[in-house]
Amino acid sequence: MNAPRQYWLMKSEPDECSIDHALAAPNGTVAWVGVRNYQARNFMRDAMRIGDGVLFYHSGCAEPGVAGLAEVASVPYPDPTQFDHRSPYFDPASKPAQPRWMLVDVKAVERIPLVSLARMRAEAALADMQVLRRGNRLSITPVTPDQWRAMLRLASR
DNA sequence: GCCAACGTTGGC
DNA sequence: GCCAACGTTGGC
């Protein structure tokens, strides 16, 4: 018996990896590299399961918001960029025998009409969404089934 | 470019 | 273990 599907919101800067980049990647799948926050890492390492739903969020851009749907597509494994001297995500303190940073693959499912951050903030059904909380800086946050359904409704308009 | 908010680092 | 300084996130 499979565990119930869980839902997540994952932030990406579209300059680096937009929903279109992900859709164009082989198999529509990208490794979620570069997370250097322990809480966000723990979600990927300990809580995510293959098939979990992902709201693909664009941050650090002119129009922040959810731009696509995706799903978790792998079990956790070490983020290769932590060992790459030329990568901005290089972490000299992390050793291959004991990798500090783990990630999952994310498979893009579809682009959706942008559900903007402002629209999300205006939506009563999303009032308690973790990503909208004041001061939130986590790039990966859980989404409840009700919030997931509300986002699908907003995306279909 | 500004700035609020928060995480991390490192001296003590 | 405290806490100030610093760095980062991310919206505006």
Side-chain angles (χ1 to χ4, degrees):
Chain A
M1 182 91 171
N2 291 331
R5 194 184 192 211
Q6 302 182 97
Y7 303 98
W8 308 93
L9 181 144
M10 300 177 79
K11 291 183 180 179
S12 179
E13 297 189 9
D15 285 352
E16 280 199 35
C17 182
S18 69
I19 183 68
D20 290 329
H21 287 130
L23 283 166
N27 232 6
T29 300
V30 292
W32 207 258
V33 301
V35 170
R36 294 295 179 268
N37 169 283
Y38 290 106
Q39 260 186 285
R41 178 206 65 180
N42 292 349
F43 284 137
M44 291 196 285
R45 188 189 64 182
D46 305 331
M48 285 186 179
R49 297 293 178 266
I50 291 174
D52 280 0
V54 173
L55 300 172
F56 198 114
Y57 182 95
H58 286 175
S59 71
C61 57
E63 286 190 297
V66 172
L69 303 179
E71 55 186 44
V72 175
S74 78
V75 295
Y77 63 97
D79 181 340
T81 64
Q82 70 195 301
F83 306 123
D84 179 357
H85 288 253
R86 291 150 306 182
S87 167
Y89 304 123
F90 177 62
D91 181 354
S94 182
K95 302 301 168 203
Q98 281 183 311
R100 178 177 293 186
W101 305 112
M102 306 290 282
L103 53 65
V104 297
D105 289 343
V106 172
K107 180 180 173 64
V109 174
E110 62 176 322
R111 183 180 236 292
I112 59 173
L114 185 80
V115 180
S116 72
L117 176 59
R119 181 69 189 87
M120 290 167 69
R121 287 199 187 284
E123 176 59 40
L126 301 178
D128 295 327
M129 205 172 188
Q130 189 167 332
V131 74
L132 302 180
R133 284 185 201 151
R134 172 184 163 85
N136 174 72
R137 283 176 48 194
L138 267 185
S139 64
I140 299 176
T141 47
V143 172
T144 68
D146 283 347
Q147 291 163 354
W148 175 266
R149 281 188 286 274
M151 285 298 305
L152 295 188
R153 177 168 50 77
L154 293 176
S156 68
R157 295 192 169 168

